Structure formats: structure tokens, C-alpha cells
Amino acid sequence: MGFLVTTLIFFLAGVVASLSVRLCCNGGPSINLLRFTLVVTATVCCWMMWAIVYLAQLKPLIVPILSEGE
Amino acid sequence: MGDYHSHGGGRGHGCCPTMDLMRSEPMQLVQIIIPIESAHLTVSYLGDLGLLQFKDLNADKSPFQRTYANQIKRCGEMARKLRFFGEQMTKADISPSAMPVTRTHIDLDDLEVKLGELEAELIEVNSNGEKLQRTFNELLEYKLVLQKAGEFFYSAQGHATAQQREIEAHQVGDGSLDSPLLLEQEMLADPSKQVKLGFVSGLVPKEKAMAFERILFRATRGNMFLKQVAIDDPVTDPVSGEKVGKNVFVVFYSGERAKTKILKICEAFGANRYPFTEDVGKQMQMIDEVSWKISELKTTIDVGLIHRDSILKNIGYQFEQWNHLVRREKSIYHTLNMLSLDVTKKCLVAEGWSPVFATSQVQDALQRATYDSNSQVGSIFQVLHTNESPPTYFQTNKFTSAFQEIVDAYGVAKYQEANPGVYTIITFPFLFAVMFGDWGHGICLLLTTLYFIIREKKLSSQKLGDIMEMTFGGRYVIMMMAIFSIYTGLIYNEFFSVPFELFGKSAYACRDSSCRDATTEGLIKVRPAYPFGVDPKWHGTRSELPFLNSLKMKMSILLGVAQMNLGIVLSYFNAKFFRNNLNIWYQFVPQLIFLNSLFGYLSLLIIVKWCTGSKADLYHVMIYMFLSPTDDLGENQLFPGQKTLQLVLLLLALISVPWMLFPKPILLKKQHQERHQGQSYTMLQSTEEMLELDHGHSSHGHGNEEFEFSEVFVHQLIHTIEFVLGAVSNTASYLRLWALSLAHSELSSVFYEKVLLLAWGFNNIIILIIGFIVFIFATVGVLLVMETLSAFLHALRLHWVEFQNKFYEGDGYKFSPFSFALLAEDED
């Protein structure tokens, strides 16, 4: 699907999540900022994890060598 | 006023909008002057509010010198009586039922009187009951003696008489020196005269029966006849109250001395004696009488027990309420003891810390107390200014409190410094999940914790065991951990170590249709990279470990560098908040440059190598960047201009070290000198201020600003060395993310292949079931419990050490307000 497309998907997911958190539980500017920070942190963490694993497999230096009897 | 601050101790303001939980609530030191008549009620209302931490103004007084020591003694007495009631209730198996009693206000004095009465009544009932019980047991024993002894009495008597005659005949014949003891007997002269024997009857414990017989024999020189019969069922001993196996005995003797000896021996052995009549008619009468008495006593005892139970039940209805009241009163008096008595003896002065937002609530409570106690004068509330460091207070809810506790376990945040708890809410479960990654196990964890969360209300009021208590307290943490584990499990593509093709076809396929060299040369990449996670074809291959190890190690470095950079950025925000420019320019900037020119560059190299697919050896690149930076890179060249960039970064790293070390102490010294040039004016202002404050607050900032340059320099040196060496060691420490993740996946795969698949291979249903059960136990015990704890611990360490030592000071103290709600938690 491509690196950039999936990155965009993660970004949009983060935007949607923070908007929905804001809409469903609105509590005041300081609490909203906290919740926004948490959502952003979670999105960034998940994206980093995915991106690392994806990039590692883009141009691999070794290939799977099946074991005997598989 | 107090606007000149020593560096780092000032009140700052945020550069950015305030975020909940990021910094401690602003706290203020307040002083409340309370008239004596409304003191008790005021403290009670403040305890209900729970937002004021009282300072102990009588710290130098012993507990007995304090004003309200008597009241506390009274409360202690009442608590003792309540404990006594509690014990009695447990003995009688009555549990205190929380009858929905209306919250009637119970006066403490009334309660004291009532408790005293109840205690006296209960003690009396108990002692009466014991007496009756003892009499009852004695009667039972008496009845046994009457029954059993009656059976063998006459034959035994006959034996004894014959024996005695023999002994006397022997004596008359001998006339020897060792005359028997029984000289008082008249029968020496006349052997045919009726032998007068006395007897003692009673019960003796079975275990002592042999010794009893022997001692009797020795004491009376054989001049006695003992007959014992065992009783089958154990009898309740009247003295000890326990069930003991006993024998009924009858001892025949002659003479007074023998009698006294036998009586003493009976007492020594705890043998209870009961009278026995020789008259047969009387015996039957006695038995009937005793039986009647026994049944009467039984009814009396039963009635007594019912009475006692009803008393205890009545106590039980109000037990919790009374307990609560006594605890509350005791805490109120303890608090009142902390207030200092004004010179006029007409009012109490209280000092305490309170959040700024609670001002109106506190004033409201004070007003209500004044009104309710019909006092003429209201309480005075004023804010004091001090340089003392306030306690740290974060307003947490049930979700964030667990994470905040994790952070506080290492060190409570200094007043108003950045709280790592904010990021810990996400990064802690995330790092756990990196080490735990298996979506099957994640689902199991999630189900367990959802059970706890759904039955939250019910479980929080119950009393759980220690381990359950901890697990229940951390239910939201575990829930986050489980959710992230499901995500990383999907990325690592492991479901109980089995991969699935959930996101499209694998990128690898055989070279040709026959798959001849799949086990020697391997597959080739025919499609674009697998879109989400690790390609499923890797699992079980021979080259799986080299690939995954390389991936996970690099991932650990990347995640670690990211988290450490976050830590350094937080230190920037701290410096900004406390308006500490020194820290920004001479600590934050060089730290950022040092870390990123080395390990940020390494991260960049990793990403470039992945994107270009180059065969460069990154170990080689990093090491030779230091050893021979001017050498040609050759095949380790990843991008043009690399050599120049490496030289530049190396230089930046090298100059950032003295940048961290030298300027700050020198500039601090300069600042100190500037500040104390107008020393005389400063002193005048400070003495005025000190008169304003009532009691000598230990004013830190005013007088004792001695500046030891060597101390400051050494401190900075240690800080620099710690950072520089720490940069390498902390980055390497993040490799535990790789290590634990590898361990988890290997364990999981071993259990799957060597237990489940092995059992499946036998094609036998019983072996399959056994294998399945072993698999379940191994998975739950090793992977779900041990691995969870292990990954939890390591993620915790990564946060406490590697993340927090970039910015966290953690030398504050926690806000512990006077609150009745917290009191109840403490007691339980």
C-alpha cells in the first residue's frame, strides 16, 4: 500500500480519534489538552512501530530459507 | 516582596496553555484563626472537605502535653470497648450488619456512656454464663460417676474389705516394726469385726490414670484398693472447659491420714471428686435429681446464650457506625492537637497547605461551621507567603491514579515540575507491549482485566487478598497494556506464536514452481513489502532469527532514542516554566546536541540503510567515526557527503561536553555576586517580612545563601559525566526491548510446537486433551503471569531510569490532606 499512504492513514486515524474524544467527553481546556496529548502520543507510538517494521522489510538483505521438512 | 528567587525556586508561569496533570496544582499556605467554640465543628467540616493539609504547630510538645490529650484517651477507651465487642461478635459468629440506619447525629458523650453500659452488661452475662456452664459440666460428671460407680461399687467394696482383712491378719501375726499407717483402727484386736473402709469416688483424666494409681499405691503403702472404669466419650472438664477422656474411679482406704493423702493426690491430678452413697435407693434418687438439675441448667444456659446473642445483634446493627464515629472523633482531636493555642486562650491558630482552587470551598466550610456552632465570631482565613516548598498535588481520577502511583513510587514530583505521568500513561503500556507482542496473549489479558473493570463497584467494596488487591488496583494499567499488546502482536504477527496472513499475501514465494532450493537458497521477494507487520512467511524458517534480531535491535534503538529525546525536551519545558535561562542554554542545548549527534545520527543511518537496502556495516561506521574519522568510507558509504557530516557531528559532540560543564557554574557565581551587591537593603526587607510571619518559618532563601563554587562545579561535573556516559549506557539499555521480545516469542513457540503439535501428532484423543491442558497451564503460568511481570518490571525500569533521569528531580513530597475518606481507607 505504500509507506506514504499508510502514514496518511495513521495521521487521519489520529485526527479522527482526537476529534471523537473531544466530542464525546468535553471537559474544559486543560483536560482536553491532556486527552489530545495522550491521543497524539498513542498515534505516534503506533505509527513508529509500524513504520519501523515496514521499512525493515522494504529492501531486505536476507530472505526466508525454509527449514527441512516444511 | 519575595520576588528575588534563588535559581530554580521561583514561581514560574507556563509558556504554553496549561495541561491537566502536567504540573502540580498551585498550592498556598493558609492560616486560619478559629474561635474555640467552633473549633471542633470547623475541623470536622474541613475533614469532610479533605483539601487541607495541616501543619503540626506543636511539634515540640509531647503527646501528653497537648491540649486535647484527655479527649484522645477517651476515644482510645471507646475504641478498646468497640474492639472488645468486635471480638465477642466474632466468637459468637455474628457479623455486624449494616442496617440502613438513618444518619442520626450521635453525641460522643452519650456514646461513651452507652458503650460503658453495654460493656458492663456483656461482661456480666459472659461471667454468669461461664459459671453456669461450669456447674453444668460438674453435674454431668457427677451423673457419670453415679451411673458407672454404681455398677462396680459393691464388688469393689467386697474386694477391698477382703484385702484389708488380709493385711490386718498379717499384721497381727507379725507384730513387726513396719506397722501399717492405720494405727487408729480398732480392728487390730478383733479381726472378725466389720472392716470400716472409707472411699473416694470421682473422675480422673485417662492419660493420668496410670500415674494416679501408682502414686496412690506408693502413698498409702499399698493400703488402698482402686477400681477404674473408662468412659467412652470425652467429657467436658468443668475447670478447663475442654473435652477430655476420663475414667471413673473409686478408691477404698482406711484411716484419716490415708484420706488426707488421697484427697491431696486427687487435687494434684485434677481429679474431680463427687460424693457417692452406698444406699441403693438413695442412689436412684440422686440420679433422678441430678438428671432433673441438668435439664434445668441446660434451659437456663440456653436462655442466657440467647440473651447474649440478642445484645450482640443489637450492637452489630450500629457497630460500623460507632466505629466510624470514634475513628472520626479521634482524628479530629489529633488534628486539633496540631493547632496552636493563641495567647488569649480564646482561639486556635491553624496553618496548612491547600490548593488555590479550593479557597472558596474552605471559606465556605468555615462559614458553615461558624453558623452551625452559633459562634459570635467567624473564623479568619488568610494566605501566607513563604519560601517553603509546597507539597505536590495532582488531581487524578480512577484511570490516571494508577499511573501516577507508578511514577510516585520512584519519587514524588518536585512542586510544579513536569510530571512524567502524563506520558507514562501511553508509553509505559506501549513499551510493555513491545516486549510482550502476541495478540493471542493480549486478548487473554484483556478479557481478565475487563472482568475486573466490569465488576469494579462490587469488588472495590470487598476485602480482597494482597495480590488480588494489587491486580485490581492496576486494572486500567493492565487494560492499556493488553490493548497495546494486541496491536504489537498484530505487528509481530504472532497469535500464540502462529502467524496469519491477515493483511494480504506474503511478499515471498519460491524461485520456481518446484521449490527445489527453498531450503538452501531461500525464497525471493516477488511482491511489495507486506503492508502491516512482519511477513508471515518468516516464521519457522532458518533465517528467521537473524532477520528478527536485526529488526528488533534496531527498533529498540529507535524507540529508545525517541523516548530519551522526549525526556530532554521535557527538561526544556521545565526550564522555561521556572524561567531558568541558564538551564536552557547551558544544559538543554548541549545535551540535545550530544545525544542526537551520536545516537540520533545512528538512528538516521538505520533508516537510510533500510530505505536504500545498502550493505553497509553500521557497527563499523559508528566505531570508525570515532577512531579514524578522516578515513575513506568505502563500501560503508550510505549517502554522499557522509564523511563531512560525520566530522561535523563528531566536532559538535566534542564541544558540547565542555559546553555542559563550564559555563553554568561560572555564570551562577556571577549571578550570586550580582544579587548580593546590595546586601544591606536586602537584609532590611527580609527582617520586616520575618516579623509578619508568626512563627519562624524556616526561611530558606533569605539568609543562608552561601555560594560554594567548588560544590557547584563538582555537582555540574557529576551531572555532565552522568549524562555523557549515560547516553551510551541508556541507549544500550533499551536493547532489553529486543531481548524480552525474543524470549517471549521463543517460549511461546516452544510451547506451541513441542506441546500442542506434539500431542496432535499422536492422533489419540486422550493425549491430545492432556497436551492441551499442559499447554494451557504453561501458557498461563509462564507466559501470562511470569512474562507479564517481567515485561512490566523492565518497562518500569526503562521509565524510571532511562526516561526520567533526563529531566526529573522527584524530591517533592505528596499532599496528604486531612480527610475522613482517606482515613477509612487507611484503617482497612
Side-chain angles (χ1 to χ4, degrees):
Chain A
M1 269 234 281
F3 184 77
L4 288 171
V5 176
T6 322
T7 305
L8 195 65
I9 295 179
F10 269 98
F11 178 74
L12 288 174
V15 167
V16 166
S18 50
L19 278 177
S20 54
V21 160
R22 173 67 179 275
L23 286 175
C24 98
C25 352
N26 197 345
S30 56
I31 299 189
N32 282 341
L33 185 58
L34 172 69
R35 292 192 184 134
F36 177 68
T37 308
L38 293 181
V39 169
V40 166
T41 314
T43 312
V44 168
C45 286
C46 293
W47 171 80
M48 265 208 296
M49 185 86 189
W50 167 82
I52 290 170
V53 172
Y54 184 80
L55 287 177
Q57 297 183 98
L58 263 188
K59 301 199 170 154
L61 292 172
I62 52 177
V63 285
I65 302 176
L66 301 178
S67 55
E68 314 284 320
E70 198 170 301
Chain B
M1 240 209 31
D3 255 347
Y4 49 89
H5 315 289
S6 51
H7 68 279
R11 291 161 199 17
H13 71 274
C15 59
C16 336
T18 49
M19 176 156 66
D20 230 22
L21 211 65
M22 184 61 159
R23 296 186 191 280
S24 161
E25 300 287 333
M27 309 286 282
Q28 60 191 4
L29 185 65
V30 302
Q31 185 181 61
I32 309 179
I33 304 182
I34 317 172
I36 288 224
E37 58 263 20
S38 50
H40 186 271
L41 210 55
T42 311
V43 173
S44 171
Y45 286 166
L46 286 175
D48 282 328
L49 184 62
L51 282 173
L52 187 66
Q53 176 180 344
F54 286 95
K55 270 173 76 169
D56 193 355
L57 295 170
N58 294 329
D60 48 347
K61 289 203 192 143
S62 79
F64 303 105
Q65 289 172 314
R66 301 200 188 201
T67 337
Y68 291 93
N70 268 341
Q71 308 287 353
I72 293 190
K73 231 189 286 179
R74 278 173 68 196
C75 289
E77 252 308 292
M78 285 197 268
R80 182 194 64 79
K81 290 188 184 136
L82 283 171
R83 268 199 304 275
F84 172 66
F85 293 153
E87 281 164 15
Q88 290 295 314
M89 284 200 283
T90 3
K91 253 199 239 171
D93 280 333
I94 297 178
S95 51
S97 64
M99 199 168 85
V101 187
T102 51
R103 280 248 163 246
T104 50
H105 180 68
I106 306 172
D107 187 26
L108 198 67
D109 298 321
D110 290 341
L111 182 63
E112 198 176 8
V113 168
K114 189 158 186 184
L115 286 180
E117 282 172 7
L118 280 171
E119 187 188 22
E121 196 180 342
L122 207 59
I123 291 180
E124 199 186 320
V125 164
N126 275 346
S127 74
N128 283 348
E130 270 170 43
K131 263 189 257 168
L132 286 173
Q133 193 69 25
R134 181 181 302 198
T135 318
F136 181 70
N137 287 332
E138 279 176 10
L139 282 175
L140 278 177
E141 286 195 338
Y142 190 21
K143 185 167 170 187
L144 279 168
V145 168
L146 287 174
Q147 284 170 336
K148 293 278 182 180
E151 290 162 17
F152 63 74
F153 186 76
Y154 291 103
S155 60
Q157 198 179 36
H159 272 279
T161 324
Q163 190 179 316
Q164 190 62 18
R165 281 220 187 87
E166 250 183 62
I167 293 173
E168 281 160 20
H170 208 70
Q171 278 168 16
V172 169
D174 278 353
S176 54
L177 289 162
D178 44 352
S179 44
L181 298 153
L182 316 167
L183 287 169
E184 306 90 278
Q185 300 294 329
E186 305 139 340
M187 51 193 136
L188 274 170
D190 191 356
S192 59
K193 213 172 169 186
Q194 183 70 6
V195 174
K196 195 83 169 79
L197 286 178
F199 65 90
V200 169
S201 57
L203 289 164
V204 68
K206 264 190 201 154
E207 29 196 48
K208 300 189 190 166
M210 284 310 303
F212 185 59
E213 190 169 346
R214 229 177 299 135
I215 301 249
L216 276 176
F217 188 82
R218 285 194 204 136
T220 56
R221 301 204 192 177
N223 265 349
M224 67 98 202
F225 182 74
L226 170 74
K227 174 86 182 174
Q228 291 191 60
V229 166
I231 304 178
D232 307 313
D233 306 315
V235 176
T236 317
D237 184 48
V239 174
S240 67
E242 293 165 359
K243 282 205 175 290
V244 185
K246 293 209 179 182
N247 292 350
V248 175
F249 71 90
V250 177
V251 178
F252 293 97
Y253 60 85
S254 54
E256 274 304 310
R257 277 200 228 165
K259 180 177 179 179
T260 37
K261 280 198 186 141
I262 291 175
L263 289 179
K264 274 199 202 140
I265 291 170
C266 284
E267 252 182 68
F269 274 82
N272 302 325
R273 294 176 298 107
Y274 298 100
F276 188 79
T277 48
E278 295 178 291
D279 190 351
V280 183
K282 258 200 171 168
Q283 271 175 26
M284 300 311 292
Q285 201 186 18
M286 284 303 291
I287 290 182
D288 287 333
E289 215 177 287
V290 170
S291 302
W292 178 78
K293 267 198 204 156
I294 285 176
S295 58
E296 198 186 273
L297 257 182
K298 189 112 182 72
T299 29
T300 316
I301 289 178
D302 286 337
V303 166
L305 276 178
I306 292 175
H307 178 61
R308 183 195 72 169
D309 283 353
S310 76
I311 297 179
L312 286 176
K313 264 216 185 70
N314 278 336
I315 295 177
Y317 290 142
Q318 299 191 288
F319 186 67
E320 286 301 331
Q321 199 185 7
W322 286 342
N323 247 339
H324 184 75
L325 185 71
V326 169
R327 269 202 305 252
R328 210 180 129 111
E329 290 296 317
K330 199 164 178 193
S331 68
I332 292 181
Y333 284 117
H334 270 301
T335 311
L336 281 172
N337 269 341
M338 289 203 262
L339 312 184
S340 79
L341 206 54
D342 191 44
V343 258
T344 61
K345 295 259 189 258
K346 289 231 196 82
C347 53
L348 292 167
V349 179
E351 264 184 36
W353 292 103
S354 164
V356 170
F357 71 78
T359 311
S360 61
Q361 292 175 45
V362 170
Q363 285 174 322
D364 187 52
L366 292 176
Q367 271 183 348
R368 268 188 303 128
T370 309
Y371 182 69
D372 286 343
S373 64
N374 299 322
S375 163
Q376 304 285 359
V377 190
S379 308
I380 301 176
F381 175 93
Q382 61 183 24
V383 177
L384 298 174
H385 294 277
T386 173
N387 269 355
E388 247 180 80
S389 174
T392 312
Y393 179 49
F394 291 114
Q395 278 192 307
T396 54
N397 54 26
K398 65 184 178 185
F399 177 71
T400 52
S401 65
F403 293 102
Q404 192 58 43
E405 264 174 43
I406 289 178
V407 172
D408 284 345
Y410 187 69
V412 178
K414 198 177 75 165
Y415 179 61
Q416 297 224 304
E417 72 164 340
N419 177 22
V422 168
Y423 294 98
T424 305
I425 297 177
I426 297 291
T427 57
F428 174 74
F430 176 68
L431 287 187
F432 171 87
V434 170
M435 293 190 267
F436 194 75
D438 185 315
W439 57 284
H441 298 152
I443 291 180
C444 295
L445 266 187
L446 186 64
L447 291 175
T448 317
T449 193
L450 278 180
Y451 167 76
F452 275 121
I453 292 178
I454 288 177
R455 306 196 61 215
E456 200 169 53
K457 283 218 164 55
K458 188 156 176 291
L459 286 173
S460 62
S461 54
Q462 270 179 5
K463 190 116 177 71
L464 311 162
D466 271 334
I467 298 183
M468 268 299 138
E469 192 82 50
M470 276 200 293
T471 321
F472 178 71
R475 59 196 183 279
Y476 287 107
V477 182
I478 302 181
M479 182 190 81
M480 295 292 284
M481 281 158 39
I483 294 177
F484 274 107
S485 299
I486 295 178
Y487 178 76
T488 55
L490 288 173
I491 292 218
Y492 290 153
N493 217 338
E494 288 194 9
F495 178 80
F496 293 99
S497 90
V498 177
F500 286 102
E501 280 195 347
L502 291 171
F503 298 100
K505 294 189 84 134
S506 158
Y508 295 96
C510 288
R511 278 167 214 274
D512 49 36
S513 48
S514 64
C515 278
R516 256 179 302 114
D517 44 7
T519 51
T520 48
E521 297 290 325
L523 312 171
I524 50 168
K525 188 163 179 283
V526 295
R527 279 178 281 270
Y530 194 68
F532 189 86
V534 173
D535 199 296
K537 267 283 194 291
W538 281 105
H539 185 80
T541 58
R542 284 195 297 169
S543 52
E544 178 190 12
L545 277 182
F547 171 69
L548 280 183
N549 284 350
S550 159
L551 165 70
K552 287 182 180 174
M553 283 170 115
K554 291 176 177 161
M555 175 182 73
S556 314
I557 301 280
L558 289 170
L559 291 177
V561 170
Q563 196 177 32
M564 289 196 285
N565 271 319
L566 177 65
I568 299 183
V569 166
L570 280 178
S571 85
Y572 166 73
F573 283 112
N574 265 344
K576 202 78 197 293
F577 183 84
F578 291 116
R579 291 208 213 113
N580 194 337
N581 273 333
L582 269 185
N583 270 356
I584 296 179
W585 287 110
Y586 302 104
Q587 201 159 297
F588 162 69
V589 173
Q591 281 185 348
L592 198 67
I593 291 179
F594 183 79
L595 187 69
N596 285 316
S597 62
L598 295 179
F599 296 102
Y601 177 60
L602 174 61
S603 313
L604 180 70
L605 286 179
I606 292 175
I607 297 178
V608 171
K609 180 173 175 183
W610 276 342
C611 289
T612 58
S614 136
K615 284 197 171 31
D617 183 351
L618 292 182
Y619 286 124
H620 202 266
V621 170
M622 285 305 291
I623 293 174
Y624 282 92
M625 180 170 144
F626 284 89
L627 290 186
S628 34
T630 48
D631 266 7
D632 216 14
L633 289 168
E635 59 189 21
N636 287 332
Q637 180 106 8
L638 281 159
F639 52 86
Q642 188 176 347
K643 196 164 95 175
T644 347
L645 180 65
Q646 281 183 198
L647 272 171
V648 170
L649 289 176
L650 189 63
L651 274 170
L652 278 176
L654 281 176
I655 56 169
S656 66
V657 176
W659 189 354
M660 272 189 251
L661 176 59
F662 293 110
K664 191 168 161 190
I666 298 176
L667 287 173
L668 279 176
K669 187 176 171 76
K670 259 207 197 147
Q671 269 187 3
H672 177 85
Q673 281 172 346
E674 273 170 33
R675 209 182 302 145
H676 288 269
Q677 261 174 5
Q679 184 93 27
S680 46
Y681 299 118
T682 320
M683 287 307 289
L684 199 65
Q685 259 187 319
S686 70
T687 31
E688 260 183 31
E689 238 185 56
M690 284 177 83
L691 284 175
E692 261 178 39
L693 308 168
D694 271 317
H695 316 271
H697 296 289
S698 49
S699 37
H700 297 284
H702 291 265
N704 33 343
E705 269 205 44
E706 295 138 17
F707 189 83
E708 270 295 331
F709 180 75
S710 54
E711 225 180 87
V712 173
F713 184 75
V714 168
H715 178 90
Q716 193 63 24
L717 178 67
I718 294 176
H719 195 87
T720 306
I721 294 179
E722 198 189 322
F723 183 81
V724 169
L725 295 180
V728 182
S729 89
N730 290 352
T731 311
S733 184
Y734 276 96
L735 286 172
R736 70 186 70 221
L737 294 173
W738 156 63
L740 262 92
S741 157
L742 176 68
H744 188 96
S745 89
E746 287 298 305
L747 276 173
S748 168
S749 130
V750 158
F751 289 144
Y752 178 73
E753 281 164 22
K754 303 286 185 241
V755 175
L756 211 56
L757 287 187
L758 196 66
W760 182 268
F762 277 94
N763 268 327
N764 184 343
I765 188 83
I766 299 178
I767 296 189
L768 186 65
I769 292 180
I770 296 177
F772 194 69
I773 293 178
V774 171
F775 176 72
I776 300 272
F777 272 100
T779 301
V780 171
V782 174
L783 289 172
L784 289 183
V785 173
M786 191 188 83
E787 272 291 308
T788 304
L789 286 174
S790 173
F792 185 97
L793 179 83
H794 284 283
L796 202 60
R797 178 252 154 73
L798 282 176
H799 275 79
W800 280 351
V801 179
E802 276 77 20
F803 176 52
Q804 287 180 352
N805 73 6
K806 302 285 177 288
F807 68 98
Y808 194 56
E809 285 185 49
D811 53 2
Y813 61 107
K814 208 166 166 181
F815 178 63
S816 51
F818 173 61
S819 158
F820 294 130
L822 290 179
L823 201 75
E825 277 172 28
D826 274 343
E827 283 286 334
D828 293 335

